[in-house]
Amino acid sequence: MTDTPSTVRHSRWGLYAPFIILLVLLAAWTAWWFVLARQVETRLEDQAERLRHGGWDVRYADTHVSGWPFRARVAARHITLAAPSGHAVSAPELVAEANAYQPTKWVVVAPQGLVLDRAGKGKVAIDGDAVRMSASGLGQRWPNLALELVNPTFTAHPDSEPFPFARAARFEFYARPHVVADQATSDDVDVMIRLIDARGRPDGAVEGFAQEGQLTTQIEAVIGKASTLSGMDPAGVFSAWTTAGGAFRNVRGELKAGDSEATLSSDLLRADGNGRLVGSVAFQAREPGPAIAGLAGAQTGVANRVGAAGAAATAGVAQAAGRESMTLTVVFRDGRAWLGPFPIAPAPKLF
């Protein structure tokens, strides 16, 4: 007889090991995701409580965290955020999302639009193709912020003051820490506002200024003493900031209203005790006459028609003399905007 060799049985651990490792990693990642979801809920409520202690009114119906495995998605309904100044924003729903593996950049979307409550002026509904905001660098003293409205429409509620704009192709707002010599300064913030192809409300000052056309503008500035903006006391959004010596520095911008174009600059702008803008803005303007004339003819109480008509006549004389481009200086003082000796409109009110 010959002995039959026994069959060698190979271990199957090599086959199972990748699946076991995958299951362990999935379990660990799932545990991390639930920890992250709990942290998001806790920090959201902690921030709301801090704002409430500061005099803010913060309300929302409920929150729900989802997005497993790779996203953190927070949805909240019936949100109201009201400052002590009386200014407020509300939304039927807000949705915030971030990568679960990098929860330092968040994108917030208002799928049903927003309602802006202007203290003493009433509410205006803001809707459009997209209403979104992003925040990154949350570990910095001043995070990077961006607000974007795509094809927004602005509708004043009944019994509210009219809103200057009816619609626009785009509105953008950006804020980031001010940097000098590659180092972020302690208490200054760079901001930029961009408004593209905006149309004013019928018979309003913006429609007249744009000669029934479209208004496009971009303005950049440095906000000094930005930390004092957190006050937002009942005196107004910018009241505590102004009292602390806050100001807009290095203001630069571009403006196109109908056939009129201008670049603008100002080294310093601030607010007076009534919240009205104080300072001067230099304009290098091309064909400014039609824009000023349109402002004078607007069917609104905002513009000083007599002053605007005088300023338009002066600009018209200069254009008739062959000067299509000219330098104009608008001075904000005593609660009004002056072009030379002519008061053309109230100075913008910051609070």
Side-chain angles (χ1 to χ4, degrees):
M1 292 181 63
T2 59
D3 295 332
T4 302
S6 60
T7 302
V8 178
R9 298 179 62 86
H10 296 283
S11 172
R12 296 187 178 182
W13 282 107
L15 178 63
Y16 297 145
F19 296 97
I20 294 173
I21 293 172
L22 180 61
L23 288 174
V24 170
L25 291 176
L26 182 61
W29 180 259
T30 300
W32 153 248
W33 187 91
F34 279 101
V35 169
L36 174 64
R38 180 57 181 165
Q39 287 180 346
V40 169
E41 291 179 326
T42 301
R43 291 179 182 178
L44 179 63
E45 185 56 35
D46 288 346
Q47 183 62 40
E49 283 301 316
R50 281 195 291 269
L51 288 171
R52 292 181 185 120
H53 289 154
W56 291 65
D57 180 15
V58 181
R59 287 174 286 165
Y60 47 88
D62 57 63
T63 58
H64 176 67
V65 182
S66 60
W68 181 89
F70 300 118
R71 308 284 293 176
R73 182 181 186 275
V74 185
R77 298 185 303 113
H78 307 305
I79 305 97
T80 298
L81 181 63
S85 62
H87 295 77
V89 63
S90 59
E93 182 184 20
L94 288 179
V95 178
E97 287 192 4
N99 291 323
Y101 52 85
Q102 189 184 17
T104 57
K105 180 178 181 179
W106 288 83
V107 176
V108 183
V109 178
Q112 301 178 52
L114 302 170
V115 175
L116 176 65
D117 191 346
R118 302 163 291 163
K121 296 183 178 180
K123 298 180 179 180
V124 57
I126 303 173
D127 206 348
D129 293 345
V131 179
R132 54 181 173 245
M133 184 182 76
S134 67
S136 61
L138 299 181
Q140 305 169 167
R141 179 177 185 183
W142 299 112
N144 302 313
L145 301 176
L147 172 65
E148 183 181 28
L149 309 179
V150 180
N151 290 323
T153 59
F154 307 93
T155 306
H157 282 203
D159 301 325
S160 296
E161 289 189 16
F163 195 70
F165 300 99
R167 63 185 183 274
R170 205 173 193 89
F171 173 83
E172 299 171 359
F173 170 82
Y174 302 95
R176 66 181 184 183
H178 181 59
V179 176
V180 177
D182 297 329
Q183 294 292 325
T185 58
S186 60
D187 207 18
D188 293 346
V189 174
D190 293 336
V191 296
M192 182 177 74
I193 297 174
R194 182 181 292 142
L195 182 65
I196 300 173
D197 293 343
R199 287 191 175 274
R201 61 178 176 84
D203 297 326
V206 172
E207 184 186 65
F209 185 68
Q211 307 132 63
E212 299 185 2
Q214 296 177 332
L215 173 67
T216 294
T217 183
Q218 176 175 310
I219 299 176
E220 303 177 33
V222 178
I223 298 180
K225 298 186 180 295
S227 63
T228 57
L229 280 171
S230 61
M232 293 191 180
D233 54 44
V237 174
F238 291 92
S239 177
W241 173 74
T242 301
T243 302
F248 297 104
R249 305 195 313 270
N250 301 328
V251 181
R252 300 292 183 269
E254 299 175 355
L255 177 70
K256 186 178 188 304
D259 296 328
S260 303
E261 297 180 7
T263 58
L264 62 92
S265 63
S266 177
D267 293 333
L268 185 69
L269 293 171
R270 59 179 182 84
D272 62 17
N274 295 319
R276 298 286 182 182
L277 198 65
V278 175
S280 63
V281 178
F283 291 86
Q284 186 64 38
R286 185 180 70 83
E287 298 186 15
I292 302 174
L295 182 65
Q299 300 300 310
T300 175
V302 173
N304 183 319
R305 293 191 183 90
V306 175
T314 302
V317 169
Q319 281 187 225
R323 295 171 54 196
E324 290 190 357
S325 180
M326 63 193 71
T327 300
L328 304 173
T329 300
V330 176
V331 178
F332 301 101
R333 59 178 172 82
D334 303 326
R336 305 201 65 80
W338 299 77
L339 184 56
F342 303 107
I344 57 175
K349 190 172 184 180
L350 299 185
F351 60 85

